[in-house]
Amino acid sequence: MDPDEFRASYERTSFRVRHDLVSHPLLAAEAFTALASEIPPGHLEYLAGHLGDLAPDHRTELGGEPTAMLQRIHDAGSGAVWVAFHRPEVVPKFQVLLDEMLDPIAELVPAMGARESYLFMSGPDWSTPCHRDPEHNFLLQIRGTKSVTVGEFVDDDTRHRELERSYSQSGVYSSFRPAHPKVVELGPGDGLYIPPDMLHLARNGPELSISYSVAWRPPELVRTGRVYEFNAWLREHGRTPTPPGRSVWLDRQKAGMVWARLGAKRVFGRRARG
C-alpha cells in the first residue's frame, strides 16, 4: 500500500491493496472448525440460501453443529452457504493477527479507536447483498475470487435518510444499488479499502471463498453514528435534522443525549432484573 495514496483516499474513496496472508495458518479453511469450537456461539453467523444483490435486514443465529455446518460449504452443491466469524479476536491469537495488520495503519491515521475483525467463508457464486459498514475496512481476499461493486448514494438527502434509518435500526442492508458503481476483482493476495458507510456488494467466483476483514472505528465515527440515531428520532417527530458535520457543538450534544439514554436503559434494566 502506498502511504500517500492511503492519506489521499482515507475516508473518501476505495482503493486496492496487496497482502501476504494467503498461506497464514489461522486463515486456512481447515482452521475454521477449530475456531468454531473456540469462539463464543454469539460470534458466529450462518446463512443458507441465495440472498441476491438486495436483501432485507436480518440476522440469523448459528443453528446446528459447527463442524457439520462448515463441511456443507465443502460438499458438492453447497454454494448457497455463508459463515461469518464476528470479532474472532476474542480468541487471543486472532488479536495478535489483527494488531499485526493494523499497527502500521495506526501510524497513518489521527486516532484509530476500536479495532475489529471479521472472517468469512462462503460457497461458490455466493452473493453478499448491498450494504454499508460503519467502520473503516480492509477486505482481504484469502482464497477464491470475489467481484466487489462499490458506489455512492444517489444524493446527499438519500444518504442522510438512509444512514438515519440504518443507525437507528441497527441494520446494514440497502434497499437500492449504489450509484456510480465501480467493480473491483479480488483474488488471493488482493484487498480493498472501503470507507465507512460506502455502499458495496459482492459475488464469489466458482470456488470456495475465504475473506478476512480488518476494521477500525475512531471515536468521531462512533459519535457520527449516534448523531444519525438522534436525527432519526427528530425526523420521526416531524423535524428536519441538521446532518452530522455541520456543527461540532451540535453533534456532541446529540451524541451525548443518545449515550445518556443508552446509559439510563442499562441502569434501569439492571434494577428491573434485580
Side-chain angles (χ1 to χ4, degrees):
M1 182 185 68
D2 183 342
D4 291 334
E5 181 182 12
F6 176 83
R7 294 187 184 95
S9 302
Y10 186 61
E11 298 182 304
R12 298 180 180 88
T13 187
S14 62
F15 62 89
R16 298 176 64 98
V17 298
R18 291 286 297 171
H19 66 86
D20 58 359
L21 295 175
V22 172
S23 60
H24 198 290
L26 290 182
L27 305 178
E30 297 74 18
F32 277 53
T33 300
L35 177 59
S37 66
E38 295 178 75
I39 199 169
H43 289 252
L44 275 168
E45 185 177 4
Y46 167 53
L47 296 174
H50 289 292
L51 298 182
D53 291 341
L54 300 176
D57 282 318
H58 66 283
R59 284 289 182 221
T60 302
E61 293 186 1
L62 176 67
E65 200 275 323
T67 302
M69 173 267 295
L70 290 168
Q71 187 61 43
R72 284 189 60 187
I73 301 181
H74 293 279
D75 293 341
S78 60
V81 179
W82 175 88
V83 180
F85 293 81
H86 298 273
R87 307 292 300 276
E89 65 271 15
V90 297
V91 178
K93 55 191 174 185
F94 278 90
Q95 182 66 61
V96 173
L97 178 60
L98 176 61
D99 289 338
E100 287 177 351
M101 292 292 97
L102 291 185
D103 281 348
I105 307 300
E107 300 176 4
L108 303 176
V109 300
M112 178 160 277
R115 301 181 179 194
E116 305 171 359
S117 65
Y118 304 88
L119 189 55
F120 305 102
M121 177 187 281
S122 48
D125 302 313
W126 173 267
S127 293
T128 301
C130 187
H131 65 288
R132 35 73 53 184
D133 296 314
E135 63 267 320
H136 298 274
N137 173 32
F138 280 109
L139 177 63
L140 308 176
Q141 191 68 14
I142 308 300
R143 175 172 171 177
T145 59
K146 190 183 298 290
S147 178
V148 183
T149 301
V150 296
E152 307 167 3
F153 292 93
V154 65
D155 54 44
D156 285 342
D157 184 64
T158 301
R159 172 184 172 84
H160 294 313
R161 287 176 180 268
E162 184 72 3
L163 293 182
E164 288 170 15
R165 179 200 64 79
S166 184
Y167 278 104
S168 63
Q169 299 176 15
S170 299
V172 297
Y173 290 121
S174 172
S175 59
F176 49 83
R177 299 172 186 273
H180 312 296
K182 178 178 69 172
V183 179
V184 181
E185 302 293 340
L186 300 180
D190 292 327
L192 184 67
Y193 167 74
I194 304 175
D197 299 324
M198 171 173 274
L199 292 176
H200 58 286
L201 60 142
R203 181 179 292 275
N204 291 352
E207 62 277 307
L208 172 75
S209 172
I210 295 177
S211 302
Y212 180 50
S213 176
V214 295
W216 65 98
R217 198 180 307 197
E220 66 271 17
L221 196 56
V222 177
R223 182 170 61 242
T224 296
R226 298 306 187 196
V227 174
Y228 274 121
E229 190 175 343
F230 189 84
N231 282 355
W233 181 86
L234 289 176
R235 198 178 295 277
E236 288 176 1
H237 289 77
R239 305 288 294 275
T240 302
T242 301
R246 302 280 181 84
S247 167
V248 174
W249 179 86
L250 186 59
D251 286 352
R252 287 176 176 170
Q253 296 302 309
K254 291 177 177 179
M257 284 185 275
V258 173
W259 275 315
R261 176 176 61 83
L262 293 174
K265 276 188 174 182
R266 285 193 292 268
V267 170
F268 287 106
R270 285 196 296 269
R271 289 179 179 176
R273 289 191 295 274

